[in-house]
Amino acid sequence: MSFPQVFCAAACLVRSFAVPTADRLRRAVLAVGLLIVLASPLGAQLPMPRLHQIFPPGGQLGTSVDVTIRGLDLDADPETAQELVFSHPGITAERKVTSPPSSETEPQPLPGQFVVTIDGDVPVGTHEARVRGRYGLSTPRPFSVGNLPEVLEQGSNNSLESPMPLELNSVVNGRTSGDSYDVYRFTASAGQRVLLQCEALRLDSRMDATMTLRNAAGEQLAYSRSARRSEPMIDFTAPADGSYLVQVYDSTYRGGEPFFYRLAVSTQPHLDFVFPPAGTPGTTGTFTLYGRNLPAATPAEGVAVDGVALQKTEVEIPIPAEPQGSGVPLSGRFLGPSDMRARGFEYRMKTPAGSSNPLFISFATAAVIPEQEPNDDRNRTQPITVPCEVVGQFFASRDRDWFSFQAKRGERFAVEVFSQRRGLPTDPFLLVQHVSTDEQGEPTKPPTRG
Amino acid sequence: MTDQGMPACLVITGCRRRYAGSSPNWRKRRPPAASLPTVAVVPHRLSTIFCGIIPVGMVAVLLLGSGAAAESVQPIGLGDPGALLSISIESGRDGDGPLLLIGNESRQQVIVTGDYASGQKRDLSRSVTYGVEPAGVVAVDPSGLVTPQGNGTATIRASVSGNDGEPHDATVQLSVESFDRNPAINFPNQVVPIFTKLQCNSGGCHAKSGGQNGFRLSLLGFEPQEDFEHLSREARGRRLNLAAPDLSLLLRKAAGVVPHGGGARMEVGSPNYRLVRRWIAEGASYGDPEARRVSDIEVLPRVRMMGPESQQQLVVIARYTDGSTEDVTATAQYEANVKELAEVTDRGLVTTTDQTGDVAVMVRYQSHVGVFRATIPLGAPIETMPPEHNVVDEKVFKKLRLLGLPPSEPCDDATFLRRVTIDIAGRLPTGEETAAFLADQDAAKRDRQIDQLLASGDYADNFAKKWAAIFRNKRVTAAGDDGRHGTYAFHAWIRQSLHENRPYDEFVRGVLAASGDAKESPGVIWYRAVCDANAQAEDAAQLFLGTRMQCAQCHHHPFEKWSQRDYYSLTSFFSQVDRKPASLPAEERIFHRRGVASAVNPRDNQTVLPAGLGSEPMEIPAEEDPRQRLVDWMSTPDNPYFARTLANRYWKHFFSRGLVEPEDDMRQTNPATNPELLDTLAEHFIDSGFDMKDLIRKICRSQTYQLSSLPNEYNADDLQNFSRYYPKRLPAEVLLDAVDAVAGSETRFPGVPAGTRAVQLPDSGFRSHFLTVFGRPEGDSACECERTGEANLAQGLHLLNSADMMSKLSADGGLAAQLAADSEREIRGKVRDLYLAALSRLPTDDEAVTVAEFVTHKSQQGEADTKRAFEDVLWALINTKEFLFNH
């Protein structure tokens, strides 16, 4: 997979190292700590509530959705109080109850079942759910909020001959079963750019999601599987009016309860990346958004992801002031522990078709300097003044960017590259070399080997 | 070649295989080159034993092979040469002034060539009369071997009278010097070649690692210094007796005077004996280490059209670094690459057999190789050729015209459809497909069909199967990891790359330069199977450069110019590959460990930098992954190996035989049977931007590919010129799918969804007796020879008489059950469907009547018997050669 854009900031960072930890991470650490205590023979055998699954793992804005939870030590005893709480206050849950057999008896709560209500102003993206019960708060599970109508997989859609029909611009919540795949059918008209996105990884599903798109005759049109930290996505422009089939499966055809997913079939705007990927807090900057199905966009020349050309559009984005405390928003992408140090905010493009997926923009801590090619050679560097944040791209594969700056003996610098921890499939390599000069100030012995 | 350092050399013989034609048209005089598969003959013999249902006569009708057996024809060969116009005499040493022989031990072979009115050239070396003037300088024996007799200058005159009685002669002048005083012997230049010629230093003898019975020589004399040490210093010096040379153990053993495990390799008093004896008598010195060295060798003639059962004397000239030349015809070694076509003596006399085709005689002297190529035409009259479709036909037909080898007729539509569907898509055409194709009147329907097949996912399935095996996509398990993730991911990546027709160079880059884990970069699975830098370099060379470098790890390549330096230059591309644990226990992350790529050549402890074969070393910065540079080098348009290897590999996929055979052993000494064609295909492939589908399109659209497999009266023996389609047994997976498709059954593989066909299986980790018996590769090597198309008894028995087959044929929802249950349709229609499904053609009238009668007859016995009758017919169809072979 070629992913052209990379945020590579070589910056002299002068800032506090008391990095605020995300809620999710902090609690995860807490949980791990607790686990260690419990594992010791001295620890009391206190039950530790663990939420394993919430299904469906998401819902539409402004609607209510019935969910079922599973886990350990959640204490689903109907007698005890049990609550489902979310990281966003706009999402609330009530226990589901049986309809009373007679008017005299109280309705009984159904174990493990809730009705979740999502307010219309909840931001699109991934949020967190936890269960609060007799033994305290459980571990979290992601809960996805979208702006498309949702349905549940009906089963019996395990062959190309028996697909489950799906409306265009809707989301289906499903599970795969072993040695099998799920098939959905949707209708698109010629020229329509349809995005198929399958969430599993970021929902903590065990599924290694894979999708194959076929035409009505069963011929393969596109294929996508999840790569490291990214979910499968198919961007296809319907060649003709008609129905299309999408096969969803785990890459090794595993299945069962923990193999759940959310498949969205939409014509909604989707943002791939933004450049520059950072802005100074409290200012308004001009940013170029790259993505698909963007309103008033132009083709982005030469920029393609997985062979599909992207569109681009320029927008003015006001960058909020850097908040105190937690600086990492829960976003639509998969967050790893190392991502927690990236501070920034999420931008969502508002369009008549609904809000786009969130895109992460970093808070710049120093002047932002765009990379200037050609700087591919150690003998042809781009001079920069520190402190700064350089924004650049590994564009054209095997790109190398060289920068040079002046430093004095004893000065201390922190040089960090933020790329992989922005969720990009990169493996950046950073090399710092000292350029020694002779009396005339000319570089001596340009190093030929690193 | 049995040296332990070259295991791959042993594989070569294992993967040479031939496909017998399905026609009974075999020459009476000689047994066919390959025996017919067992399964082909069993049905009618066993039918009465096994179930006794099918009358013998009926099965005979079902068997393939119509047409009367043509009588074998005597080869015509070159035809009438016409009048002899002139003769010429050559020594191969005309370049450096008058021919000079120094000393009384030197030899010179001359060849005499006659030019005929028809343009033919024929070797007359043994039919002319030689005369020498003045006498006493040299003697010439009837084979044209010149030996010195005294100092002086003389003229050799070769004379012959032509077929019309006209006398012809030709002369060559030469002089002899130092007759009385031979120059001092140089050990590496003169003695070592004798060891090689007598095979003392072959891999099976004294050049084994550790030597033979305590005496060790370097393989093929590539390390003369070591040989000298072993001879002169070891065994308390008894190998050489300077005072009494004839008592030297070396001579006594070699001449068989004392018992010698290798027998008597030379006679006492023979030229070789005399030379070694003189070397000892002169003090057994190594000679000047800075003395001249052989820089290359030249073989005369290089190419020749030869008639069947004719002879051609070769002359081999060694050129030295000081510009001098020497005749080494008697000391060089010879080997014909196709023994069925020609034999060659140790004096360089090539004798052809009565077969037609191309043969290359490899000539080896010290570390140099040369080739003599002979084309032996059949000389049959060619009245018409099938129309040419593209440049492939141009080259193939040109060759056939040259050979006088008339091609078979173009095949019919049904045969074409079945053939191309199996070859491209790895499946049988369905009955509906066949019916539609036969009914289609469009003249371009064959081309269209090829395009449709290439666009289908079946193409990707079939070729992913091919590539996954040689990329060694084999499951590796570990605690907590069933190993499926890696192989499934790699297979899916291969399949998708082929499906979207990723250019070949990018495809190769995805494997050779893979970094990361199997999730993001599935090509790293190749690095799991191919563990160290040596194996990686060897596999890469074999897969993508068609070169087997294994030999050069321990010694100079015996048939190529590659030295150990070349070998380690190639391995150094992989020297910075490092690995660390990935998220799954059985997987690893592959990464470039920062550093300058290099390797150490253990022969001289010198550091070598990465270099493509025959290219300059590259200085690669530490942070750059050298593997990217390797692929860069491979995919440059002027790389002589990369495109040709793929073109040859794919050619073999479709024609059963590579233009170079085996397909991954391309070397100067193993030339293509049609070099022009290989060049053209490679050029086309490069020009298309390494478009793999386009290459297949080019091959399949050719008339050559669409020729019938039925031989005409001339080409039944042709196995290398593509004058007909060579039938091949269906590959294991395709055969299993074909049986399932015809019987209406399904083989269920745990671990993949229901309905997954055998050809779609991601790796070899699915147990199946059927697939194993029919030669599915396990993914243990980079050689396509791991897949066998050979026949064995187990295959015949499995198809004829196994519970597996029985359950498929008699499945409740199977085709037999469906046909029996269908009371609406006429029996003739059902027979037609059966034939369309199984053999992709309509039944002949005879067949239709016979089968219909058989089923009707059986059905009268009872309801259940109708189903059994159809089962029997299916069973018989599946056991025909026509079904089992792609023809």
Side-chain angles (χ1 to χ4, degrees), chain B residues 691-707:
Chain B
D691 185 332
M692 290 196 266
K693 284 190 184 179
D694 194 54
L695 179 67
I696 294 175
R697 198 173 290 126
K698 194 101 191 156
I699 291 173
C700 291
R701 282 187 173 188
S702 71
Q703 184 68 271
T704 308
Y705 179 69
Q706 300 178 11
L707 292 177

Side-chain angles (χ1 to χ4, degrees), chain A residues 179 208 220 228 398 429 450, chain B residues 495-496 519-520 632 751:
Chain A
D179 289 2
D208 183 11
Q220 179 180 325
R228 185 164 52 114
R398 295 157 75 180
F429 180 84
Chain B
R495 185 191 178 282
Q496 181 62 15
K519 198 163 178 61
E520 63 199 286
D632 290 349

Side-chain angles (χ1 to χ4, degrees), chain B residues 620-641:
Chain B
I620 304 175
E623 66 270 14
E624 198 178 333
D625 191 336
R627 299 174 297 156
Q628 298 280 2
R629 297 279 286 265
L630 174 62
V631 184
D632 290 349
W633 168 77
M634 283 181 175
S635 50
T636 47
D638 54 357
N639 185 299
Y641 311 104

Side-chain angles (χ1 to χ4, degrees), chain B residues 148-215:
Chain B
Q149 290 192 318
N151 288 335
T153 301
T155 302
I156 300 173
R157 180 178 302 275
S159 46
V160 70
S161 53
N163 29 14
D164 51 1
E166 186 79 10
H168 296 277
D169 59 8
T171 59
V172 63
Q173 218 182 23
L174 83 175
S175 46
V176 176
E177 283 178 9
S178 308
F179 183 79
D180 307 319
R181 207 178 136 270
N182 282 309
I185 287 175
N186 182 283
F187 177 76
N189 279 348
Q190 288 168 278
V191 180
V192 170
I194 294 176
F195 296 155
T196 310
K197 179 77 179 178
L198 302 181
Q199 298 184 340
C200 314
N201 58 16
S202 69
C205 209
H206 291 287
K208 278 204 297 262
S209 98
Q212 177 78 353
N213 290 342
F215 177 38

Side-chain angles (χ1 to χ4, degrees), chain A residues 404-415:
Chain A
S404 59
F405 64 91
Q406 297 290 326
K408 291 196 169 62
R409 179 191 292 269
E411 274 186 313
R412 296 178 72 175
F413 294 91
V415 186

Side-chain angles (χ1 to χ4, degrees), chain B residues 687-724:
Chain B
D687 292 345
S688 70
F690 299 111
D691 185 332
M692 290 196 266
K693 284 190 184 179
D694 194 54
L695 179 67
I696 294 175
R697 198 173 290 126
K698 194 101 191 156
I699 291 173
C700 291
R701 282 187 173 188
S702 71
Q703 184 68 271
T704 308
Y705 179 69
Q706 300 178 11
L707 292 177
S708 169
S709 60
L710 291 175
N712 56 30
E713 56 185 319
Y714 298 106
N715 67 3
D717 278 352
D718 170 37
L719 290 169
Q720 50 159 270
N721 294 299
F722 314 102
S723 64
R724 63 190 170 92

